[in-house]
Amino acid sequence: MPRIVIDTSTLVGAVLHVHADSVPHRTWLRAQRSCELLACRETFSEIESVLHRDRLSRYLERDTRDEFLALYRASVDWIEVLPSHVKAIEPSCRNSKDSMILALAQT
């Protein structure tokens, strides 16, 4: 079974466009069925922070966002990403959060 990491923007797209049959939502559904989803504490914190932003309230109820986070939390295999893993990413990413995603994918 392939091991994958889904980045935050794709996850946000999946939850925002759940009724629109969007590419991010279809990606999320397919990954749940056929892949081993990986996450770490840092990547979960990022998606949690983004989904709890007040400006998303006009698009999604807080309960819907929390339900998605619970589903995501239950769907992933938790991996510990050490600072040495992130530092080993070459070339380094402009965005440190992207380096965390790449380090997670390489573990």
Side-chain angles (χ1 to χ4, degrees):
M1 183 175 290
R3 297 173 56 157
I4 66 166
V5 178
I6 301 178
D7 74 333
T8 300
S9 62
T10 301
L11 291 169
V12 170
V15 71
L16 282 175
H17 302 289
V18 66
H19 301 295
D21 195 34
S22 68
V23 171
H25 185 68
R26 288 193 317 254
T27 300
W28 164 247
L29 292 176
R30 187 176 204 183
Q32 280 185 290
R33 287 190 311 267
S34 60
C35 298
E36 181 182 352
L37 298 168
L38 304 179
C40 64
R41 183 181 69 244
E42 294 83 2
T43 58
F44 183 81
S45 292
E46 182 181 5
I47 185 64
E48 185 176 43
S49 171
V50 170
L51 287 180
H52 283 154
R53 290 180 183 163
D54 289 338
R55 69 176 182 236
L56 289 179
S57 294
R58 59 187 148 156
Y59 304 108
L60 286 173
E61 295 291 328
R62 174 80 178 228
D63 289 347
T64 302
R65 292 177 276 161
D66 288 341
E67 287 170 13
F68 181 83
L69 286 170
L71 177 61
Y72 177 68
R73 185 183 293 118
S75 298
V76 299
D77 287 331
W78 294 93
I79 305 293
E80 182 179 9
V81 177
L82 302 174
S84 60
H85 297 141
V86 177
K87 288 179 184 174
I89 298 298
E90 289 294 333
S92 61
C93 299
R94 290 178 295 195
N95 183 334
S96 63
K97 293 175 184 173
D98 291 341
S99 294
M100 180 60 65
I101 295 279
L102 291 174
L104 176 59
Q106 291 181 351
T107 57

